Amino acid sequence: MVNRRSFAAGLACAAVMSPQGSRAATSMTYAEAVRTTWAPLRPDEGVHGIVRYATLAANSHNTQPWRFTLGPESIVIAPDVSRRCPAVDPDDHHIYVSLGCAAENLVHAAAALGLRTTLRFDAGAVVADIERAPAQVSALFAAIPNRQSTRAAYDGRPVSNDLLRSLEQAGSGEGVTVLLVTDRQQMQRLTDYVVEGNTLQMRDPKFMEELKAWMRFNESEAVATMDGLFSRTSGNPALPRWLARPLLPFVFTERGENDKYRACIESSAGLAVFVADRDDKPHWVEVGRACQRFALQATALGLKNAFVNQPIEIPDLRRQLATYLSLGRRLPDLVMRFGAGPELPRSLRRPVAAVIAQGR
Ligand SMILES: Cc1cc2nc3c(=O)[nH]c(=O)nc-3n(C[C@H](O)[C@H](O)[C@H](O)COP(=O)(O)O)c2cc1C
């Protein structure tokens, strides 16, 4: 097990040196907030740095639905139920996937700082037991500050079989399979599910109200909360709230969004569907780990990725998609697209101090 003194020393050091703790979020510009959020991990950040890297993971609506509890020989990642999204995620599926994404980053960040982690699921939380080990700086670790969910059109070019194989390997996990779909006709059929899901969601007032609550229309809103979906991360302009809210029904339309999804998927090299053996919390965490590994591997290979998860979020469509994919009793858990594309503006993360719990 980890040497308690050095683990604790790391914590003390991080308390002083954590870059996110050094300045109040609201006094930063967006550019400063991006630099602070995505800064490369420094060894002197200690355990707080490992937690910061965990929070750089993909997570639903950028709600950052996690609380980290630091023990002498473990880090517990528990759901932050105050950040639930009952309209899009009534059973907390996406929360547990998000915890899995964070856990995957945590494993690579801890390894880079000379800590080996063993993950287990216990009492509704992910527990990372930690022990000292030789430091291991992996390609996936290096990709953590470069990964993003890139909601842009890609360049339409296919990805070689070699790269597909490494994506498939990265996206597979314990009890989790990833199906890579690159056949254009099959991609077209999956696009129909995405568009149908998006149409149903955009007609659902509860879904739309919840989504709007997490929208950040300009840089100062994004920096004020350091969470949520900042307009420019989806390729949209930044506008003052007084203008953005009344304009939204005219610019954020069912037809416009569906056309965008069709064009974006057509411009992608392929789609990835993540499927767990069982539909329960431990498997949802594993799905999160697998999709985060997939995204990091894609990033390491110079590829972009984005979620197109609408068919999963409507129970009927999820079952129909399972039938189309001949999944038997299994259900699809996530849909992502991938390919080569541009970089978009970055999403932000709350400071580490805001996600560390005082005790479990
Ligand atoms: C379970 C889950 C579901 C998601 N679903 C969608 C989605 O349907 N559409 C989308 O654009 N992004 C989706 N995302 C991506 C998040 O919005 C994104 O990770 C978050 O805004 C942070 O941005 P980043 O990934 O660029 O750091 C999803 C992420 C997770 C973990």
Side-chain angles (χ1 to χ4, degrees):
M1 278 290 149
V2 68
N3 170 323
R4 281 169 191 256
R5 271 188 60 202
S6 54
F7 202 58
L11 272 180
C13 177
V16 182
M17 307 206 63
S18 168
Q20 285 181 313
S22 61
R23 199 164 163 197
T26 44
S27 69
M28 286 192 270
T29 64
Y30 169 71
E32 286 170 333
V34 169
R35 273 198 299 279
T36 305
T37 296
W38 296 96
L41 180 63
R42 297 189 324 264
D44 65 10
E45 285 181 73
V47 178
H48 281 202
I50 295 173
V51 172
R52 181 172 69 83
Y53 254 41
T55 71
L56 297 183
N59 65 96
S60 183
H61 280 8
N62 200 20
T63 58
Q64 305 162 36
W66 39 54
R67 300 288 286 162
F68 295 80
T69 304
L70 309 180
E73 295 173 355
S74 67
I75 301 175
V76 177
I77 316 173
D80 180 347
V81 292
S82 70
R83 295 185 160 252
R84 262 193 181 127
C85 288
V88 71
D89 188 27
D91 59 0
D92 293 343
H93 172 277
H94 285 8
I95 288 193
Y96 281 94
V97 171
S98 302
L99 297 192
C101 294
E104 184 63 25
N105 272 15
L106 186 141
V107 167
H108 298 291
L113 295 192
L115 297 170
R116 183 169 40 234
T117 40
T118 309
L119 297 182
R120 59 193 161 89
F121 190 80
D122 184 33
V126 184
V127 181
D129 293 314
I130 294 179
E131 57 189 330
R132 288 232 162 258
Q136 272 192 333
V137 177
S138 63
L140 299 195
F141 165 75
I144 290 174
N146 302 320
R147 181 210 61 83
Q148 69 168 191
S149 302
T150 309
R151 301 180 192 88
Y154 300 163
D155 71 6
R157 279 194 258 169
V159 163
S160 72
N161 284 340
D162 277 355
L163 297 200
L164 287 176
R165 260 192 297 278
S166 60
L167 288 176
E168 189 171 39
Q169 199 178 0
S172 308
E174 233 172 273
V176 178
T177 312
V178 64
L179 309 174
L180 298 187
V181 179
T182 54
D183 172 77
R184 290 282 143 187
Q185 241 179 338
Q186 261 196 311
M187 282 174 70
Q188 182 62 47
R189 187 68 194 99
L190 291 181
T191 306
D192 292 339
Y193 283 105
V194 172
V195 165
E196 197 176 338
N198 188 58
T199 303
L200 291 170
Q201 288 182 328
M202 291 193 76
R203 289 179 188 176
D204 175 353
K206 286 199 180 116
F207 173 87
M208 291 303 286
E209 266 323 296
E210 186 176 85
L211 179 64
K212 283 181 208 164
W214 288 101
M215 283 182 174
R216 308 288 177 254
F217 293 113
N218 51 61
E219 280 83 356
S220 32
E221 283 190 6
V223 174
T225 60
M226 301 289 275
D227 63 14
L229 300 163
F230 173 37
S231 54
R232 289 183 55 215
T233 66
S234 300
N236 297 316
L239 292 171
R241 176 162 282 257
W242 63 264
L243 183 58
R245 277 298 294 220
L247 268 185
L248 204 58
F250 302 101
V251 293
F252 190 59
T253 62
E254 197 179 297
R255 174 133 185 229
E257 289 303 298
N258 284 341
D259 287 350
K260 209 150 69 176
Y261 280 117
R262 284 196 186 282
C264 279
I265 296 176
E266 206 177 308
S267 76
S268 302
L271 289 163
V273 184
F274 293 82
V275 184
D277 289 348
R278 294 181 59 179
D279 197 31
D280 58 21
K281 288 173 184 170
H283 282 83
W284 299 341
V285 169
E286 283 302 322
V287 167
R289 291 195 67 189
C291 86
Q292 183 70 16
R293 260 195 320 273
F294 176 91
L296 293 174
Q297 182 65 74
T299 306
L301 296 171
L303 297 171
K304 297 287 191 286
N305 69 95
F307 292 77
V308 278
N309 219 26
Q310 291 84 347
I312 308 300
E313 293 162 356
I314 313 270
D316 271 355
L317 274 186
R318 193 178 177 202
R319 280 188 291 273
Q320 285 173 36
L321 183 58
T323 305
Y324 170 69
L325 294 170
S326 307
L327 297 181
R329 285 193 310 180
R330 294 180 301 162
L331 288 167
D333 284 279
L334 289 176
V335 185
M336 294 169 91
R337 64 187 178 95
F338 60 91
E343 173 94 11
L344 284 189
R346 288 313 188 97
S347 62
L348 300 177
R349 296 295 188 275
R350 290 175 296 149
V352 168
V355 298
I356 293 194
Q358 289 316 313
R360 208 179 159 206

